[in-house]
Amino acid sequence: MLSFRIGKQGSCGNLMEIDTPAPGPGQIGLEIHACALNFADLLMVEGRYQDTPPLPFTPGLECAGRVTAVGDDISEFQIGDRVAVFGGQGGLAEFGVFDAARAVPLPASVGYDAAAASLIAYGTSLLALEQQARLQKGETLLVTGAAGGVGLTAVEIGKHLGATVIAQARGEEKLAVAKAAGADHLIDASEDLRLRVKALGGADVVYDAVGGETWKAAFRATNPGGRLLPIGFAGGEVPQIPANHLLVKNLTVIGFYLGGLVSLRPELGRETFDKLMRWLAEGRITPHISHRLPLSETAQGLELIRNRKATGKVIMQPRPETTG
């Protein structure tokens, strides 16, 4: 089978022919039809991700496809079932083996592309905003990097939860994407974020995927009693948090990492992913996919994310002729 392999840390990776793996106890074998790229894949390739596997490995945190084999003690899945998987690695290949506990069944109306594009981005936003930050109807949510893979879902989920959403992104095209997802107010990344947010009444909850100076401005624009979620650091700088400001303004900074929470509370992860598949079937959420590329162009797909030329998700398709 073909697999996009990382054999040397920091390398761009190569498409290689390797043996098709067989599932062990508690695992399923999957014919992969779609794999969604994430910024975390870039960090993993560079050896800077908290869950980077030992070399060599196949990246690809989330994927969807058809079950081709089942290991011992598996009763919830059968050969031929269509599933989505948050495997943490292994999605950038024609076939993969994944823990069955990380898989959820797909409703008949949900295609592979949409399913693969939904687990991490929507799962992160739903759990972070609803479970961790307790975003309430009528509150103001600020989303930075709002046209990116997770940022765009935060705009959508925030609207579902009844918040007024301020979206920050770079350029008219990306802001238009955020507006289409439901953003009430738009701020270009070239503008003074703090002043613009303060003029809109401040933020009660901040969902920041950028870090650096963007985090600092968002932090200063947060209302007393507000909650801040440092989701990622696409800007490259991990911000330092002034504890004295937390004290004075009664602010709460909430650490959130989807992979860690799902490992700690697998039942919560499964419940969340099942809910997302239902929402997809009902049309309550619609993943924005800016690029669909064959598996052979995985390096180009990663560059789209590295250079911030993608909006929403980039989908790699090992079998584009059958991917839905």
Side-chain angles (χ1 to χ4, degrees):
M1 73 167 196
L2 289 174
S3 174
F4 184 79
R5 300 286 282 178
I6 306 299
K8 181 180 179 182
Q9 213 71 78
S11 70
C12 60
N14 294 287
L15 200 61
M16 300 176 60
E17 188 76 35
I18 65 172
D19 293 337
T20 301
Q27 295 182 323
I28 57 173
L30 196 68
E31 177 187 75
I32 300 170
H33 287 251
C35 177
L37 298 184
N38 292 271
F39 187 75
D41 288 306
L42 285 176
L43 298 178
M44 193 178 288
V45 168
E46 296 167 357
R48 297 191 295 122
Y49 192 58
Q50 56 263 30
D51 283 339
T52 298
L55 295 167
F57 69 91
T58 297
L61 282 78
E62 56 184 339
C63 61
R66 183 179 64 86
V67 176
T68 57
V70 295
D72 294 339
D73 303 322
I74 299 297
S75 59
E76 65 268 40
F77 295 114
Q78 298 179 347
I79 293 174
D81 286 350
R82 301 166 67 251
V83 301
V85 180
F86 173 33
Q89 61 172 297
L92 288 169
E94 292 181 314
F95 294 89
V97 165
F98 305 97
D99 289 344
R102 291 292 193 101
V104 292
L106 300 188
S109 62
V110 175
Y112 293 123
D113 286 10
S118 299
L119 296 178
I120 291 177
Y122 281 107
T124 294
S125 292
L126 182 58
L127 284 169
L129 293 175
E130 186 177 52
Q131 294 284 332
Q132 303 295 92
R134 303 290 181 184
L135 179 64
Q136 301 297 307
K137 183 177 180 180
E139 288 189 314
T140 296
L141 167 68
L142 169 62
V143 180
T144 69
V150 292
L152 199 58
T153 63
V155 172
E156 201 171 348
I157 294 294
K159 291 304 296 181
H160 277 304
L161 297 176
T164 296
V165 178
I166 304 172
Q168 184 228 35
R170 185 172 297 280
E172 292 183 4
E173 182 180 351
K174 291 185 176 182
L175 288 172
V177 171
K179 183 177 181 180
D184 299 286
H185 304 285
L186 305 174
I187 300 176
D188 192 277
S190 63
E191 300 180 75
D192 188 316
L193 180 64
R194 174 180 172 270
L195 290 180
R196 284 292 315 278
V197 174
K198 294 290 282 185
L200 292 169
D204 300 304
V205 174
V206 170
Y207 184 103
D208 176 48
V210 179
E213 293 299 319
T214 298
W215 165 272
K216 294 176 185 177
F219 187 94
R220 296 176 67 193
T222 305
N223 292 328
R227 291 89 71 202
L228 300 99
L229 292 152
I231 296 297
F233 317 109
E237 179 187 343
V238 178
Q240 303 303 302
I241 300 168
N244 58 325
H245 290 189
L246 295 180
L247 183 153
V248 172
K249 294 180 68 176
N250 289 289
L251 300 178
T252 302
V253 177
I254 306 168
F256 180 79
Y257 165 47
L258 180 64
L261 185 61
V262 169
S263 296
L264 184 65
R265 298 183 58 190
E267 76 290 346
L268 181 58
R270 181 63 178 265
E271 177 185 322
T272 299
F273 296 145
D274 277 332
K275 178 188 289 188
L276 292 174
M277 294 305 109
R278 292 196 304 272
W279 282 9
L280 281 172
E282 296 166 1
R284 295 184 62 184
I285 57 174
T286 305
H288 178 83
I289 299 171
S290 64
H291 296 79
R292 290 176 170 86
L293 300 171
L295 185 65
S296 60
E297 296 181 16
T298 296
Q300 292 91 319
L302 290 169
E303 282 302 306
L304 288 170
I305 296 176
R306 187 191 307 275
N307 296 324
R308 303 186 189 182
K309 293 184 177 180
T311 55
K313 301 293 279 192
V314 174
I315 297 292
M316 308 311 300
Q317 300 176 324
R319 295 169 179 80
E321 73 283 357
T322 58
T323 301

